[in-house]
Amino acid sequence: MSVEEEYYINLHVGGKFVRDPYVRYLSGAMVRLKEGPDTISYFELCKIVKDELGFNTVQLIYFHVPGSRTLQDNLRVV
């Protein structure tokens, strides 16, 4: 018997990163997507941000590496 795992992506939009003294994300909105991290593409994320969240442009998408405790430990641009 296999156990099917569920994956979620927490997509934060409309806010900004600040360092005081640790890196954190302020304001904006958070959308939780039931998607596998290995199956969603950069272009699908851009489409969600534009079409479903109403933003006209996407500047940068960052990825927080699982297993790291804070944003400054493993925050990477997609």
Side-chain angles (χ1 to χ4, degrees):
M1 177 169 67
S2 70
V3 176
E4 192 171 318
E5 295 183 35
E6 290 185 350
Y7 294 94
Y8 293 89
I9 295 173
N10 293 329
L11 182 62
H12 296 265
V13 295
K16 63 182 179 178
F17 289 103
V18 296
R19 182 184 304 262
D20 63 352
Y22 301 103
V23 176
R24 60 191 178 110
Y25 192 80
L26 287 181
S27 303
M30 196 268 297
V31 177
R32 189 171 187 185
L33 307 170
K34 187 176 179 180
E35 296 282 348
D38 296 326
T39 60
I40 192 166
S41 73
Y42 171 83
F43 299 104
E44 289 173 304
L45 286 174
C46 289
K47 184 172 175 43
I48 291 167
V49 170
K50 288 181 179 180
D51 296 347
E52 295 181 25
L53 300 175
F55 287 85
N56 293 327
T57 60
V58 176
Q59 293 177 347
L60 291 172
I61 294 179
Y62 290 89
F63 173 72
H64 185 243
V65 178
S68 55
R69 297 184 57 123
T70 65
L71 284 179
Q72 62 198 42
D73 287 340
N74 281 313
L75 190 63
R76 305 284 185 256
V77 175
V78 174

